[in-house]
């Protein structure tokens, strides 16, 4: 096994209608995959960055608590996070979840091009008809993600099945229940 991938503790879901569409290198030998590090600030780093900015401007109302902003700004660089909060301070505009989400999508596009887009899931396991075992799986993963328990998560999962069987909805349910955004990547 590629130790860089194992040690990274990333969670990857692959969704496909046909395993033949998946590169044999991905399914047969994880050593063939080269990890690319995209450094993200930890929750604590984001909290400290936001609190430092607020300390410089104590009369500022960002429109949300610093901890809430830190929680929803996962994926932003320190520079982008500073720009976002400073824009709110100097323009007097309040930050909200929609603005942060749009900025995250812009940040992703600037760093990775058109590799994919962020989506907010609008439904959880209640949108999945049947598949009780899969719903339980989704809730277990979402719970571990929400707790930040990366060792309680599988390293990856492949959802395989024909169109309309709920693969994407299952991934969206995990995203919804964990409170994370969902990155949907297209085929190159």
């Amino acid at each position: 096994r590629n130790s860089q991938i194992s040690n990274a503790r990333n969670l990857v879901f692959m969704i496909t209608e046909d395993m033949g569409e998946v590169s044999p290198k991905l399914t047969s030998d994880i050593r063939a995959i080269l990890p690319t590090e995209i450094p993200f600030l930890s929750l604590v780093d984001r909290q400290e960055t936001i609190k430092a900015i607020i300390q410089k401007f104590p009369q500022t109302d960002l429109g949300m608590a610093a901890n809430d902003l830190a929680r929803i700004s996962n994926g932003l660089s320190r520079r982008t996070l500073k720009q976002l909060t400073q824009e709110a301070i100097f323009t007097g505009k309040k930050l909200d979840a929609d603005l942060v989400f749009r900025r995250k999508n812009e940040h992703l596009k600037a760093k990775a091009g058109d590799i994919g887009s962020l989506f907010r899931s609008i439904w959880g396991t209640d949108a999945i008809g049947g598949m009780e075992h899969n719903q339980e799986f989704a809730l277990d993963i979402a719970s571990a993600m929400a707790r930040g328990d990366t060792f309680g998560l599988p390293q990856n999962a492949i959802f395989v099945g024909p169109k309309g069987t709920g693969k994407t909805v299952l991934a969206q349910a995990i995203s919804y229940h964990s409170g994370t955004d969902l990155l949907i990547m297209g085929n190159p």
Side-chain angles (χ1 to χ4, degrees):
R1 290 174 54 110
N2 186 323
S3 63
Q4 287 180 294
I5 293 174
S6 297
N7 294 335
R9 300 304 305 165
N10 292 317
L11 180 61
V12 176
F13 294 108
M14 291 181 11
I15 301 170
T16 183
E17 293 172 29
D18 178 9
M19 282 300 289
E21 294 177 358
V22 178
S23 169
K25 287 184 178 182
L26 290 177
T27 57
S28 64
D29 187 2
I30 198 166
R31 290 175 296 192
I33 303 170
L34 297 175
T36 301
E37 182 177 351
I38 301 175
F40 291 117
L41 297 173
S42 71
L43 176 62
V44 172
D45 289 338
R46 292 189 312 271
Q47 288 170 330
E48 289 174 359
T49 298
I50 294 164
K51 287 178 182 175
I53 292 168
I54 291 173
Q55 284 178 350
K56 290 181 183 178
F57 304 95
Q59 303 302 321
T60 300
D61 177 15
L62 294 176
M64 63 175 53
N67 286 340
D68 291 338
L69 177 57
R71 183 182 51 77
I72 66 172
S73 62
N74 188 22
L76 292 178
S77 67
R78 186 178 315 274
R79 181 179 181 188
T80 303
L81 185 57
K82 284 181 178 179
Q83 288 174 342
L84 184 67
T85 53
Q86 288 173 347
E87 283 174 22
I89 289 167
F90 296 126
T91 64
K93 293 182 181 176
K94 307 280 189 238
L95 295 177
D96 61 23
D98 289 333
L99 176 62
V100 174
F101 181 79
R102 283 192 309 274
R103 189 58 62 91
K104 286 169 71 171
N105 235 338
E106 291 167 6
H107 184 70
L108 172 69
K109 293 230 184 270
K111 294 292 181 188
D114 287 329
I115 193 169
S117 295
L118 287 176
F119 291 90
R120 276 200 209 130
S121 297
I122 57 173
W123 49 66
T125 55
D126 54 333
I128 301 172
M131 301 190 338
E132 283 75 20
H133 175 72
N134 292 339
Q135 289 182 37
E136 185 178 322
F137 170 75
L139 289 172
D140 288 346
I141 290 175
S143 176
M145 288 172 69
R147 291 191 314 271
D149 177 12
T150 58
F151 291 101
L153 297 169
Q155 192 167 355
N156 58 55
I158 300 177
F159 301 155
V160 181
K163 284 186 178 182
T165 56
K167 301 175 301 294
T168 303
V169 174
L170 185 62
Q172 290 172 331
I174 293 169
S175 172
Y176 178 84
H177 288 293
S178 65
T180 60
D181 298 321
L182 182 65
L183 172 62
I184 296 182
M185 300 170 58
N187 290 332

